């Protein structure tokens, strides 16, 4: 009997030890989740009222030409910026504009991803003969009301200067605008530039080095002048003459002999803008062309995309070249600028991870976001022309699940909304709420910096009922894109000398 009891105790001993070992583990599982960190978000839905139409004069001031009249030699050039949606089509409502904007944004993101995978060049195409020191800055406004996520810069073109709104685009190189006479031109805000009235306009000869900077420059043999063509991911195309011209900026800064495309055939979704300001890394981009005089750095700050819809708010910010950009570097969080030899236009940056609610997102590493220079695949592009940040699918899924978990921990403060909206798959019903707690979201850059995003940069209203969506999306392409919604409110510094990109919060 005693022997039998001893044997029973011996056989039960391993089970007892296992129970003792599991007790701490079970206790750990029963503990409440880690304390999340939150922001406060104003839960203001989109308006159902038609957006009031505005034009360039109401955004930048009535006397646009006077902005460029002073013949100054400023050490800094400033261009005002505005979001494209500030220029409203008749009777358009905010939800309609957002839906159209996301459709255009998806086309652009797809084109970038496809081009990166294929190792494409900067988009210029060959044409056959066609029938018929310091610095400067420009104002920038939002293009929201046109259904685009782009921003416009105000520039003076020619002598005397014709004011022109140009789309701010770090994802392309050629600077171009619509020119008279037009064979095909879309409706734009302001006067179409007529090179026949400019004393500084000069056509570029076919044999000139500037013409050879195009991927394959075309030639009008009858006139002996260079032709250009650029096609964009949304199907838009511009074509015409390559020329040199004087560009004028705020406070009298003028830059002579800038290579521009004078577009006589322009088709697509360039509503309201006069053309495009190419800020990429290629040989014909504006930063490359002005580097000898103003240095290899520039910066911009993108205001809230809805600022043009709020009469009491600031409607514009600035794009800056030269000395003023240097002053922004002291407070910037920098990460190395990476070059893709197969895609020389884009600004690749080193992102190593994300945090949600103050905790690092598991399952996301630098390897998932790294560019492979040998193949040109992967990596993260910083792009002013793409609205919604796209992340490689595995990265996005991990980030989304972390955000959902942190949102659920609010105890019902963020009520999930069934379904999604366009490309957004994580939405919340904030109807009837004035303010809500929102999990924090930070982007971790190589070098140790963590950039904390304001809540308005990642949880945005999509309708009049109070539905807000997580404003990031996944992509099946290898390349990820940091879009301009997430860049709002930061001064983004492109330091070409040190080959780095920096972000300065609250700098518009």
């Amino acid at each position: 009997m005693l022997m039998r009891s001893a044997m029973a105790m011996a056989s039960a001993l391993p089970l007892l030890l296992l129970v003792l070992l599991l007790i701490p583990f079970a206790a750990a599982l029963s503990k409440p989740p880690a304390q999340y960190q939150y922001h406060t978000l104003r839960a203001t839905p989109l308006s159902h009222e038609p957006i009031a139409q505005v034009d360039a004069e109401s955004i930048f001031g009535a006397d646009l030409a006077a902005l460029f009249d002073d013949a100054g030699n400023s050490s800094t050039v400033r261009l005002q910026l505005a979001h494209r949606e500030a220029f409203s089509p008749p009777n358009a409502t905010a939800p309609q504009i957002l839906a159209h904007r996301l459709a255009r944004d998806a086309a652009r993101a797809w084109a970038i991803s496809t081009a990166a995978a294929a190792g494409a060049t900067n988009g210029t195409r060959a044409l056959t003969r066609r029938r018929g020191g310091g610095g400067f800055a420009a104002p920038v406004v939002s293009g929201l009301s046109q259904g685009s996520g782009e921003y416009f810069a105000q520039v003076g073109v020619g002598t005397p200067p014709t004011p022109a709104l140009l789309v701010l685009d770090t994802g392309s190189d050629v600077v171009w605008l619509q020119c008279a006479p037009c064979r095909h031109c879309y409706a734009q805000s302001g006067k179409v530039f007529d090179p026949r009235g400019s004393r500084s306009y000069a056509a570029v000869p076919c044999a000139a080095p500037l013409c050879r900077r195009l991927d394959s420059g075309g030639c009008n043999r009858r006139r002996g002048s260079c032709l250009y063509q650029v096609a964009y991911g949304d199907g838009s195309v511009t074509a015409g003459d390559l020329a040199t011209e004087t560009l004028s900026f705020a406070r009298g800064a003028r830059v002579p002999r800038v290579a521009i495309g004078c577009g006589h055939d322009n088709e697509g979704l360039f509503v309201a803008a006069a053309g495009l300001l190419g800020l990429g890394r290629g040989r014909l981009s504006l930063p490359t062309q002005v580097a000898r005089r103003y240095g290899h750095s520039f910066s911009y700050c993108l205001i809230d995309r809805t600022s043009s819809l709020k009469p009491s708010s600031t409607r514009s910010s600035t794009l800056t070249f030269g000395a003023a950009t240097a002053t922004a570097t002291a407070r910037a969080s920098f990460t190395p600028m990476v070059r893709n030899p197969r895609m020389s236009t884009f600004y690749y940056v080193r992102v190593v991870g994300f945090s949600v609610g103050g905790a690092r997102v598991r399952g996301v590493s630098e390897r998932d976001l790294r560019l492979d220079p040998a193949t040109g695949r992967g990596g993260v592009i910083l792009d002013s022309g793409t609205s919604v940040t796209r992340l490689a699918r595995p990265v996005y899924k991990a980030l989304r699940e972390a955000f959902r978990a942190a949102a659920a921990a609010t105890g019902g403060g963020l009520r999930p909304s069934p379904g999604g909206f366009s490309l957004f798959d994580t939405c919340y019903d904030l109807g009837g709420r004035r303010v809500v707690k929102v999990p924090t979201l930070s982007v971790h850059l190589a070098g140790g910096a963590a950039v904390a995003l304001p809540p308005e940069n990642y949880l945005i209203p999509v309708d009049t009922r109070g539905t807000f969506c997580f404003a990031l999306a996944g992509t099946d392409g290898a390349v990820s894109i940091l879009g301009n919604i997430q860049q709002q409110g930061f001064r983004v510094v492109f330091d070409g000398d040190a080959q780095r990109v920096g972000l300065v919060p609250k700098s518009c």
Side-chain angles (χ1 to χ4, degrees):
M1 182 78 173
L2 184 60
M3 183 177 297
R4 192 180 307 163
S5 299
M7 291 177 62
M9 289 182 63
S11 62
L13 187 58
L15 180 61
L16 178 63
L17 291 174
L18 179 62
V19 170
L20 292 174
L21 288 172
L22 287 175
I23 287 175
F25 181 68
L29 288 178
S30 65
K31 287 182 180 179
Q35 185 67 41
Y36 288 109
Q37 297 174 3
Y38 295 95
H39 284 305
T40 298
L41 173 72
R42 290 187 176 276
T44 306
L46 295 179
S47 172
H48 66 276
E49 298 293 331
I51 295 174
Q53 286 186 275
V54 298
D55 54 23
E57 285 76 9
S58 63
I59 289 289
F60 293 108
D63 191 4
L64 292 180
L67 184 65
F68 311 112
D69 278 349
D70 296 328
N73 292 308
S74 172
S75 63
T76 297
V77 177
R78 293 185 175 86
L79 298 85
Q80 276 184 270
L81 303 179
H83 197 280
R84 181 172 178 170
E85 293 175 9
F87 303 89
S88 173
N91 301 316
T93 63
Q96 291 170 339
I97 288 167
L98 178 61
H100 180 58
R101 167 190 180 186
L102 293 178
R104 289 197 67 229
D105 201 54
R108 178 185 175 92
W110 176 87
I112 289 175
S113 181
T114 302
T121 50
N122 66 10
T124 57
R125 295 181 177 179
L127 281 180
T128 57
R129 177 178 173 180
R130 301 183 65 89
R131 295 179 181 176
F136 61 93
V140 175
V141 296
S142 162
L144 180 67
S145 64
Q146 292 300 332
S148 167
E150 296 161 340
Y151 286 78
F152 293 160
Q154 180 71 56
V155 179
V157 182
T159 308
T162 298
L165 291 172
L166 303 181
V167 173
L168 190 77
D169 191 4
T170 58
S172 64
D173 295 323
V174 177
V175 179
W176 66 268
L177 75 161
Q178 296 198 116
C179 287
C182 279
R183 286 185 283 269
H184 296 96
C185 282
Y186 55 84
Q188 70 173 64
S189 180
K191 182 181 177 183
V192 174
F193 175 68
D194 191 341
R196 295 167 295 190
S198 172
R199 299 190 301 271
S200 50
Y201 180 90
V204 173
C206 295
L210 277 176
C211 191
R212 293 195 293 271
R213 289 188 184 182
L214 295 166
D215 292 337
S216 281
C219 182
N220 184 317
R221 300 193 182 282
R222 178 174 59 84
R223 292 187 283 115
S225 58
C226 185
L227 301 174
Y228 83 98
Q229 177 174 300
V230 182
Y232 297 93
D234 60 10
S236 302
V237 178
T238 176
D241 299 305
L242 189 67
T244 59
E245 186 54 286
T246 295
L247 300 186
S248 301
F249 303 93
R251 302 182 183 179
R254 293 183 180 176
V255 183
R257 296 181 297 280
V258 176
I260 66 168
C262 195
H264 301 292
D265 289 281
N266 315 288
E267 302 175 16
L269 302 174
F270 299 116
V271 181
L276 186 142
L277 195 67
L279 298 176
R281 305 173 77 177
R283 296 179 296 173
L284 281 176
S285 73
L286 184 63
T288 300
Q289 292 194 63
V290 304
R292 181 173 296 180
R293 181 173 178 180
Y294 293 105
H296 293 83
S297 299
F298 70 96
S299 69
Y300 59 69
C301 196
L302 306 180
I303 55 169
D304 176 4
R305 63 199 175 281
T306 64
S307 60
S308 60
L309 313 181
K310 305 170 185 176
S312 61
S313 67
T314 301
R315 292 187 171 192
S316 66
S317 53
T318 57
L319 165 67
T320 305
F321 290 78
T325 290
T327 63
T329 61
R331 296 190 297 124
S333 298
F334 282 101
T335 189
M337 190 187 297
V338 182
R339 184 175 291 278
N340 183 350
R342 295 172 177 264
M343 289 292 289
S344 60
T345 293
F346 293 122
Y347 295 93
Y348 283 81
V349 294
R350 289 182 59 192
V351 177
V352 298
F354 297 89
S355 287
V356 170
R360 196 69 173 258
V361 175
R362 295 182 179 180
V364 177
S365 68
E366 182 179 5
R367 181 178 57 188
D368 301 314
L369 298 160
R370 185 182 300 153
L371 170 69
D372 182 351
T375 64
R377 295 179 61 82
V380 181
I381 294 169
L382 192 67
D383 185 33
S384 67
T386 301
S387 295
V388 177
T389 289
R390 301 320 204 275
L391 298 174
R393 190 73 61 185
V395 175
Y396 173 70
K397 286 183 177 179
L399 179 62
R400 179 193 62 194
E401 295 309 310
F403 186 85
R404 287 177 176 176
T410 62
L414 290 177
R415 302 185 299 270
S417 178
F421 181 89
S422 184
L423 53 88
F424 301 139
D425 62 10
T426 300
C427 300
Y428 298 90
D429 178 9
L430 306 186
R433 306 291 299 276
R434 303 184 92 179
V435 295
V436 292
K437 287 170 54 178
V438 178
T440 60
L441 174 60
S442 297
V443 181
H444 293 268
L445 305 176
V451 179
L453 302 182
E456 297 81 6
N457 286 25
Y458 56 89
L459 200 64
I460 67 171
V462 297
D463 61 24
T464 61
R465 300 186 302 273
T467 304
F468 281 64
C469 293
F470 188 53
L472 293 88
T475 175
D476 293 322
V479 66
S480 297
I481 305 170
L482 292 181
N484 62 43
I485 290 178
Q486 283 66 48
Q487 297 175 44
Q488 287 173 175
F490 291 90
R491 179 155 292 278
V492 184
V493 181
F494 298 83
D495 184 350
D497 291 319
Q499 288 295 293
R500 59 182 184 168
V501 175
L503 295 104
V504 185
K506 299 179 181 179
S507 294
C508 286

